[in-house]
Amino acid sequence: EEPTAVVTEIVAVETPVSTPMILGQGQFVDGDNFHKGSGLATLYALADGSHLLRFDDLTATSGPDLHVLLPPPPHQSGRHR
């Protein structure tokens, strides 16, 4: 007779959530002598494929708008854009 396996208990094992990966960081800089800003911006890649832009310790002078510019990464040798 063939051996038989009987499942008596199913245990769910949670897969750990992947840690967000930092794609880039940058410090805020003053726009000019009147429009000043400081703080850190960090761009993360999340496990689900989405992205998160986080601002830490952000301070900025009053103004109508705050513009955040995300330049493309520097060209790396051997890679095409």
Side-chain angles (χ1 to χ4, degrees):
E1 197 173 290
E2 296 274 341
T4 305
V6 177
V7 177
T8 58
E9 182 180 7
I10 297 175
V11 178
V13 177
E14 291 187 34
T15 305
V17 176
S18 296
T19 303
M21 183 173 70
I22 295 176
L23 297 177
Q25 289 186 312
Q27 293 288 331
F28 282 90
V29 296
D30 297 341
D32 54 35
N33 287 336
F34 181 75
H35 299 96
K36 299 193 178 286
S38 64
L40 178 68
T42 306
L43 180 62
Y44 294 92
L46 304 180
D48 66 359
S50 64
H51 294 86
L52 172 75
L53 179 60
R54 179 181 168 141
F55 302 117
D56 289 301
D57 301 320
L58 175 64
T59 59
T61 55
S62 295
D65 295 314
L66 172 65
H67 297 272
V68 178
L69 305 176
L70 301 173
H75 180 69
Q76 297 175 5
S77 62
R79 293 186 66 190
H80 298 284
R81 291 189 152 199

